C-alpha cells in the first residue's frame, strides 16, 4: 500500500510500513535537492496544541494507518541542528 507524506511541503510516496529519519530526509531530498541531510527532522504535531516531535536519523516512523490515529497524513520538516544554551 502506498503512503503519502510531506517533507518541507513536498509530497513523497513510499510503499514501506516504516522508515528511519534519515530515509525520510533522503526521500525528501529527491523531491527537493536543497534538503540538507545534516539537518534535524521534525514530525509536525497534530491539532492546534500538538507539539512537533524530533525524529532521529536512526529512529523509525511507522506509516501503517493503525499506528496513526487521527493523523493519517504525516508532515515533516527539517531545520538546522539546534543547541539551546550551548556555547
Amino acid at each position: 500500500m502506498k503512503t503519502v507524506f510531506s517533507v518541507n511541503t513536498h509530497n513523497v510516496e513510499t510503499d514501506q510500513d516504516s522508515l528511519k529519519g534519515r530515509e525520510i530526509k533522503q526521500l525528501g531530498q529527491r523531491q527537493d535537492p536543497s534538503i540538507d541531510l545534516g539537518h534535524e527532522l521534525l514530525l509536525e504535531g497534530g491539532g492546534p496544541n500538538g507539539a512537533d516531535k524530533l525524529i532521529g536519523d536512526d529512529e523509525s516512523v511507522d506509516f501503517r494507518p493503525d499506528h496513526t490515529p487521527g493523523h493519517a497524513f504525516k508532515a515533516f520538516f527539517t531545520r538546522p541542528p539546534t543547541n539551546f544554551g550551548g556555547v
Side-chain angles (χ1 to χ4, degrees):
M1 179 172 98
K2 297 273 185 197
T3 300
V4 177
F5 60 92
S6 70
V7 179
N8 294 357
T9 71
H10 299 280
N11 283 347
V12 179
E13 202 174 86
T14 185
D15 58 0
Q16 301 296 311
D17 287 340
S18 68
L19 294 168
K20 294 188 184 253
R22 183 162 189 82
E23 295 170 320
I24 293 168
K25 290 188 286 187
Q26 289 170 333
L27 288 173
Q29 192 181 53
R30 290 182 189 168
Q31 299 296 320
D32 178 1
S34 72
I35 291 176
D36 187 331
L37 298 179
H39 283 186
E40 295 176 334
L41 180 70
L42 290 101
L43 173 60
E44 288 185 7
N49 298 321
D52 297 335
K53 181 180 185 314
L54 181 63
I55 305 295
D57 281 350
D58 292 324
E59 185 176 346
S60 289
V61 176
D62 199 320
F63 288 99
R64 292 177 293 178
D66 59 325
H67 285 69
T68 56
H71 303 288
F73 184 82
K74 293 188 183 307
F76 299 90
F77 64 95
T78 60
R79 70 175 182 204
T82 53
N83 186 10
F84 296 109
V87 180

